[in-house]
């Protein structure tokens, strides 16, 4: 093991895996979980006939990272190591890739798709795999792709089907699953173990070595006093109260305090209620109140001008296509107050004291002139942009030599980064042309980011897992983990609660590890059987729900203006997209920008975004399928469903619609729309 560069504590945690036991390795961020897994994979390949190692990750960018940083350098010389993600063509013949490879690194969704796909070139059986490595395995719960894969595994195990792969899970923290007591936290850890059919192992004998290799940063609370006066925030609240009066709140509904997450949850529920009750006034007022609440949250964390700009940007898109008096009232309210809001936002006497504390925290690290790296973790993509703008315009921070950029999740659209942009930003950070990353949670988990001297948690309300992962980024010698928060505020309280939950997680794992083998196995078996039973019940419930209505009996209405635009029978499923195949649907929408994606696809390409012709509500985008069929790809969250009894149902995901969506038949579509092509 020494020639592989493993520390003694790493050798300790892989012992049971080398004996072909199913285990979860629990090591902190920076503890070398992946390197330990590569070693287990190497020994497995050397000692197992017809070995096949599958490495699962939960985010696309981790496919390249694990391939480039660990598995290919260590194993590629002697074994066929392949990487497959939704961005690569290999996913279309994944079954063949698995047959020809010794090690495959892919997203969990790709493996799950292959397990349930019966097409020979794409299909994979669990019995084809001899070692299944699951990164960030604490995500193996609920409807996560990891859990879908492991449910298939558990079902086969309970039926006595063999062979099945050895399981190796990796996690920095399984968390407590929301539990606040030790017994409930133990139950959560056991559920993760049951879902993965694995025991959990950690460094015990060599824990002191682990502490030396991965030292804990010095934690400091940077507590600021509450603003004495906040005329900008007060003015926003007065505008919200005007909307409250206009919308005729239901008598059974009491809104929480403005400027809180609880208030946001309230107005989300009000919007859904307005949709269901065909009350556009209620629904639209709730949507606008959410924007004002967002502005209050930004005002609490960032500059007043950032809060103002968030509203200005929102209303700049609302100046076209007012439908009724509700739209006119809401737009008019903002425009009547716009000048006053901007003037208040520019008044430096009432600026956010948290920004001053954040500046001081950064200058403590960078002001000495000693080279350093730092990360600020913040809540939203929007706030990363605002913070970057603040850093670039702040003379003191620029004179201290701070070179900042944002790091946010990969995706499509201007508010996301491409994978290449992510990789370039991290490389610039590694090489020193950047020394401050302003990041959302994307940098907390998995990404290979150089060790930092300073990690700042700013305006965040997250769980104990995210907190531990963020803290793990401060791995440089004498590093600091700082929490900037208002005294007694939500972030301050949450951070201290998370500290307790982190301790509770460790206690729960200790309790599980000290169980007798018989007690542990009995409990795991009970939990596995319960999961299978609950899954079958839920599948039956979903099937019954979908069978209550025929697709043709369901109408799709625009979520914003409530205009009927499609029938459920118009919707078909193709390449995991839900498209409208009725040519008449085209009259209901207008075109927007050309959608560009970082990757290409075998059978389709993205085209323009589309919006409601009446109210400009975004609906989705067109795709060109097999170079000829132009199909609108719809996001169901932008519509509301209406049943035969006139009941309206807003849904977030297509899997929740109360009817069965059939697969797209390309030949049938061509016969109906392009008969000349088939002559």
């Amino acid at each position: 093991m020494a020639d592989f560069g493993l520390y003694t504590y790493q050798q300790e945690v892989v012992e049971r895996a080398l004996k072909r036991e199913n285990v979860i390795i629990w090591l902190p961020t920076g503890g070398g979980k992946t390197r330990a897994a590569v070693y287990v994979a190497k020994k497995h390949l050397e000692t197992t006939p017809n070995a096949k190692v599958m490495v699962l990750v939960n985010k696309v960018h981790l496919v390249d990272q694990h391939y480039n940083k660990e598995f290919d350098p260590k194993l590629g010389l002697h074994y066929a190591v392949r990487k497959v993600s939704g961005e690569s063509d290999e996913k279309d013949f994944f079954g063949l890739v698995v047959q020809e490879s010794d090690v495959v690194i892919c997203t969990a969704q790709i493996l799950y798709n292959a397990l349930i796909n019966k097409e020979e070139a794409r299909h994979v059986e669990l019995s084809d795999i001899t070692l299944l490595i699951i990164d960030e395995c604490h995500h193996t719960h609920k409807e996560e792709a990891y859990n879908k894969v492991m449910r298939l595994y558990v079902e086969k195990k309970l039926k006595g089907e063999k062979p099945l792969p050895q399981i190796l899970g990796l996690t920095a923290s399984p968390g407590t699953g929301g539990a606040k007591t030790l017994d409930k936290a133990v139950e959560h850890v056991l559920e993760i173990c049951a879902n993965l059919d694995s025991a959990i192992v950690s460094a015990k004998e060599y824990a002191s070595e682990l502490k030396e290799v991965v030292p804990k940063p010095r934690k400091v609370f940077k507590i600021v006093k509450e603003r004495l006066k906040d005329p900008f925030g007060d003015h926003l609240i007065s505008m919200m109260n005007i909307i409250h009066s206009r919308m005729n709140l239901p008598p059974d509904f009491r809104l929480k305090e403005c400027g809180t997450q609880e208030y946001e949850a309230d107005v989300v529920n009000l919007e859904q209620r307005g949709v269901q009750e065909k009350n556009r006034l209620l629904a639209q007022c709730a949507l606008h109140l959410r924007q004002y609440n967002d502005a209050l949250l930004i005002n609490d964390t960032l500059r007043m001008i950032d809060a103002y700009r968030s509203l200005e940007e929102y209303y700049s898109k609302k100046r076209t296509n007012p439908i009724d008096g509700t739209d006119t009232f809401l737009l008019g309210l903002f425009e009547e107050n716009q000048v006053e809001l901007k003037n208040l936002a520019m008044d430096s006497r009432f600026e956010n004291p948290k920004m001053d504390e954040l500046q001081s925290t950064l200058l403590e690290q960078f002001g000495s002139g000693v080279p350093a790296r730092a990360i600020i973790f913040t809540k939203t993509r929007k706030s990363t942009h605002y913070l970057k703008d603040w850093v670039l315009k702040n003379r003191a921070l620029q004179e201290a030599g701070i070179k900042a950029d944002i790091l946010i999740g990969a995706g499509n659209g201007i508010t996301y980064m491409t994978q290449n942009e992510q990789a370039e930003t991290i490389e610039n950070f590694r090489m020193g042309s950047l020394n401050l990353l302003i990041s959302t949670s994307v940098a907390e988990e998995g990404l290979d980011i150089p060790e930092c001297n300073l990690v700042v948690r700013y305006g965040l309300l997250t769980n104990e897992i995210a907190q531990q992962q963020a803290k793990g980024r401060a791995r440089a010698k004498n590093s600091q983990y700082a929490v900037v928060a208002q005294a007694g505020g939500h972030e301050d309280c949450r951070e201290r609660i998370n500290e307790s939950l982190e301790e509770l997680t460790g206690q729960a794992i200790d309790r599980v590890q000290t169980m007798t083998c018989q007690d542990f196995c009995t409990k795991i078996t009970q939990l596995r059987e319960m999961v299978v039973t609950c899954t079958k019940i839920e599948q039956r419930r979903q099937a019954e729900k979908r069978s209550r209505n025929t697709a043709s009996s369901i109408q799709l209405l625009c979520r914003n203006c409530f205009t009927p635009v499609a029938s459920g029978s118009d919707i078909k499923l193709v390449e995991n997209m839900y498209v409208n195949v009725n040519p008449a649907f085209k009259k209901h929408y207008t075109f927007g920008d050309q959608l560009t994606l970082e990757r290409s696809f075998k059978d389709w390409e993205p085209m323009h975004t589309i919006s409601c012709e009446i109210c400009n509500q975004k609906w989705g985008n067109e795709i060109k399928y097999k170079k000829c069929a132009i199909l609108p790809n719809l996001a169901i969250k932008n519509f509301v469903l209406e049943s035969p009894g006139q009941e309206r149902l807003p849904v977030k995901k297509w899997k929740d619609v109360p009817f069965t969506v059939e697969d797209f038949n390309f030949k049938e579509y061509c016969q109906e729309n392009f008969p000349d092509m088939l002559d």
Side-chain angles (χ1 to χ4, degrees):
M1 291 189 193
D3 63 329
F4 205 75
L6 292 190
Y7 290 101
T8 313
Y9 73 82
Q10 289 172 304
Q11 297 175 31
E12 178 185 0
V13 297
V14 301
E15 279 182 4
R16 291 175 64 177
L18 295 176
K19 297 174 183 176
R20 302 186 184 276
E21 293 182 44
N22 288 358
V23 297
I24 299 165
I25 292 177
W26 173 46
L27 286 175
T29 301
K33 297 180 292 295
T34 309
R35 178 61 57 86
V38 176
Y39 181 79
V40 173
K42 179 176 181 289
K43 290 300 179 185
H44 182 87
L45 290 163
E46 291 171 350
T47 58
T48 307
N50 303 313
K52 191 82 63 180
V53 178
M54 186 80 70
V55 184
L56 300 187
V57 298
N58 64 326
K59 294 178 182 174
V60 174
H61 59 257
L62 296 179
V63 174
D64 283 338
Q65 180 175 298
H66 282 347
Y67 177 85
N68 294 327
K69 299 287 185 182
E70 292 287 353
F71 284 90
D72 192 53
K74 293 291 184 182
L75 304 176
L77 187 62
H78 301 291
Y79 301 100
V81 182
R82 300 281 290 277
K83 58 176 180 174
V84 184
S85 73
E87 300 188 348
S88 56
D89 294 336
E90 283 92 339
K91 73 180 186 302
D92 296 319
F93 44 93
F94 186 68
L96 300 178
V97 171
V98 172
Q99 289 178 25
E100 297 167 358
S101 308
D102 300 309
V103 181
V104 178
I105 305 165
C106 67
T107 54
Q109 190 63 50
I110 283 181
L111 175 59
Y112 178 70
N113 291 345
L115 291 170
I116 62 176
N117 192 320
K118 300 308 176 185
E119 188 180 332
E120 186 175 351
R122 300 190 181 196
H123 183 64
V124 171
E125 287 285 348
L126 279 170
S127 57
D128 297 333
I129 306 164
T130 55
L131 173 62
L132 186 61
I133 299 173
I134 302 180
D135 189 37
E136 308 292 356
C137 69
H138 50 273
H139 291 293
T140 311
H141 64 109
K142 298 181 180 177
E143 292 307 306
E144 297 276 357
Y146 284 160
N147 213 24
K148 290 179 180 179
V149 170
M150 287 307 301
R151 278 182 199 151
L152 297 176
Y153 173 101
V154 168
E155 285 176 14
K156 288 181 178 293
K157 179 155 188 172
L158 290 175
K159 292 176 185 175
E161 295 183 23
K162 293 182 179 180
L164 288 171
Q166 177 187 348
I167 305 297
L168 176 61
L170 311 173
T171 183
S173 174
T176 67
K180 301 293 192 295
T181 65
L182 181 56
D183 286 345
K184 291 290 185 182
V186 167
E187 190 78 12
H188 170 72
V189 173
L190 285 169
E191 285 174 5
I192 295 292
C193 290
N195 291 345
L196 288 156
D197 191 40
S198 300
I200 187 165
V201 298
S202 57
K204 295 289 187 184
E205 188 176 350
Y206 297 98
S208 58
E209 181 192 42
L210 173 60
K211 288 180 180 178
E212 290 178 14
V213 174
V214 190
K216 288 187 176 181
R218 180 171 60 92
K219 184 170 185 177
V220 293
F221 282 87
K222 304 281 189 172
I223 302 301
V224 300
K225 294 180 180 179
E226 188 177 1
R227 277 178 176 144
L228 294 177
K229 291 184 179 180
D230 183 14
F232 176 79
D234 292 342
H235 198 84
L236 288 178
I237 292 171
S238 71
M239 294 170 69
M240 294 168 79
N241 286 331
I242 292 172
I243 299 175
H244 293 159
S245 300
R246 177 68 175 247
M247 70 196 295
N248 297 321
L249 278 168
D252 62 336
F253 205 98
R254 292 181 63 84
L255 286 165
K256 306 293 191 308
E257 180 185 357
C258 295
T260 63
Q261 300 289 349
E262 293 78 12
Y263 181 92
E264 180 177 320
D266 280 349
V267 292
V268 167
N269 290 333
L270 274 178
E271 189 272 339
Q272 292 177 346
R273 185 163 171 173
V275 168
Q276 291 166 337
E277 296 176 357
K278 307 178 186 179
N279 184 342
R280 189 169 186 275
L281 171 65
L282 184 64
Q284 288 301 304
C285 286
L287 285 174
H288 286 248
L289 285 169
R290 184 172 183 181
Q291 296 300 318
Y292 282 100
N293 197 65
D294 281 347
L296 282 173
L297 290 169
I298 293 169
N299 180 52
D300 182 58
T301 309
L302 303 163
R303 298 169 297 184
M304 293 183 291
I305 196 65
D306 298 324
Y308 168 77
R309 284 173 182 159
S310 73
L311 283 174
E312 184 180 50
E313 181 183 353
Y314 178 74
Y315 280 100
S316 68
K317 299 172 184 175
K318 292 288 182 181
R319 291 193 168 94
T320 57
N321 295 18
I323 296 171
D324 55 23
T326 297
D327 296 334
T328 304
F329 158 71
L330 291 166
L331 178 59
L333 178 65
F334 175 73
E335 290 181 337
E336 289 164 14
N337 290 271
Q338 187 171 2
V339 173
E340 177 68 12
L341 281 174
K342 189 170 185 179
N343 288 337
L344 290 170
M346 300 291 286
D347 193 335
S348 59
R349 292 176 299 168
F350 307 109
E351 198 50 271
N352 191 343
K354 291 180 186 174
M355 300 296 287
D356 291 335
E357 190 60 51
L358 179 59
Q359 175 179 313
S360 299
T361 302
L362 292 172
L363 289 176
E364 283 176 18
Q365 185 65 59
F366 289 97
S368 64
V370 178
R373 290 192 186 97
I375 298 180
I376 300 173
F377 284 108
T378 189
K379 182 182 177 185
T380 64
R381 295 189 296 274
K382 188 184 290 185
S383 60
T384 64
H385 288 282
Y386 290 146
L387 282 169
K388 179 184 174 182
D389 180 70
W390 169 71
V391 170
L392 294 178
K393 292 177 179 176
N394 186 300
R395 180 180 295 178
L397 298 181
Q398 291 304 299
E399 289 176 351
I402 293 179
K403 294 163 288 189
D405 208 345
I406 64 169
L407 181 64
I408 55 179
N412 307 318
I414 58 173
T415 59
Y416 292 90
M417 297 180 81
T418 66
Q419 272 190 261
N420 288 337
E421 287 170 339
Q422 279 186 339
E424 183 180 353
T425 298
I426 292 171
E427 185 60 23
N428 289 338
F429 189 61
R430 188 186 314 282
M431 300 304 294
S433 56
L434 295 174
N435 54 18
L436 174 64
L437 292 182
I438 304 167
S439 179
T440 55
S441 59
V442 67
E444 289 173 346
E445 183 174 275
L447 278 175
D448 183 28
I449 293 174
E451 57 189 28
C452 295
N453 307 88
L454 171 68
V455 167
V456 182
R457 298 258 292 173
Y458 190 72
L460 278 178
L461 289 169
T462 57
N463 63 19
E464 71 281 6
I465 297 176
Q467 177 181 302
Q468 289 174 64
Q469 290 171 330
K471 190 189 300 181
R473 295 299 175 192
R475 299 201 297 269
K477 189 175 181 181
N478 300 320
S479 58
Q480 180 174 286
Y481 173 81
V483 179
V484 178
Q486 182 179 300
H490 295 297
E491 297 96 335
D492 181 18
C493 295
R494 183 72 227 188
E495 195 74 21
R496 296 179 194 279
I497 289 170
N498 284 342
E499 288 179 343
S500 300
L501 294 179
E502 185 177 347
E503 291 182 18
L504 191 62
T505 300
Q507 294 168 6
I509 292 171
D510 284 341
R511 175 83 67 86
V512 169
Q513 289 175 333
T514 55
M515 292 174 70
T516 66
C517 183
Q518 183 177 350
D519 287 346
F520 178 79
C521 291
T522 300
K523 185 65 177 176
I524 293 301
T525 301
Q526 290 173 349
L527 288 169
R528 276 200 311 251
E529 290 172 347
M530 184 178 70
V531 165
V532 170
T533 301
C534 290
T535 300
K536 288 179 178 177
I537 291 171
E538 177 60 22
Q539 287 171 344
R540 275 201 301 270
R541 191 186 70 80
Q542 289 287 350
E544 289 171 4
K545 179 181 174 182
R546 285 191 292 269
S547 66
R548 288 178 200 152
N549 302 285
T550 61
S552 59
S553 70
I554 299 294
Q555 288 291 306
L556 274 71
L557 284 59
C558 174
R559 179 80 173 239
N560 184 52
C561 64
F562 297 167
T563 302
V565 293
S567 165
S569 58
D570 297 333
I571 309 301
K572 305 298 178 188
L573 178 61
V574 57
E575 300 276 349
N576 292 319
M577 294 177 288
Y578 291 82
V579 298
N580 190 318
V581 299
N582 187 343
F585 180 66
K586 193 167 186 175
K587 68 183 180 185
H588 292 295
Y589 63 79
T590 57
F591 298 105
D593 297 330
Q594 170 67 41
L595 183 63
T596 56
L597 302 179
E598 191 177 9
R599 60 188 186 274
S600 59
F601 300 87
K602 179 183 177 184
D603 291 327
W604 66 276
E605 58 185 288
M607 298 189 70
H608 295 87
T609 59
I610 60 173
S611 302
C612 176
E613 200 269 338
I614 294 176
C615 69
N616 213 33
Q617 166 75 37
K618 289 182 179 179
W619 283 354
N621 64 281
E622 283 189 334
I623 65 166
K624 183 185 284 185
Y625 185 69
K626 292 191 180 293
K627 302 190 183 301
C628 65
I630 307 297
L631 303 170
N633 170 33
L634 305 180
I636 190 61
K637 67 180 181 179
N638 298 324
F639 297 86
V640 59
L641 306 178
E642 189 168 80
S643 67
Q646 301 294 299
E647 180 185 357
R648 289 187 177 178
L649 175 67
V651 294
K652 290 183 179 180
K653 297 181 179 180
W654 279 104
K655 68 179 182 65
D656 297 321
V657 298
F659 62 92
T660 300
V661 178
E662 297 178 351
D663 289 334
F664 177 59
N665 187 317
F666 180 63
K667 183 177 180 181
E668 186 179 291
Y669 178 84
C670 290
Q671 286 173 341
E672 292 178 4
N673 295 279
F674 310 110
D676 295 342
M677 289 176 54
L678 304 176
D679 288 345

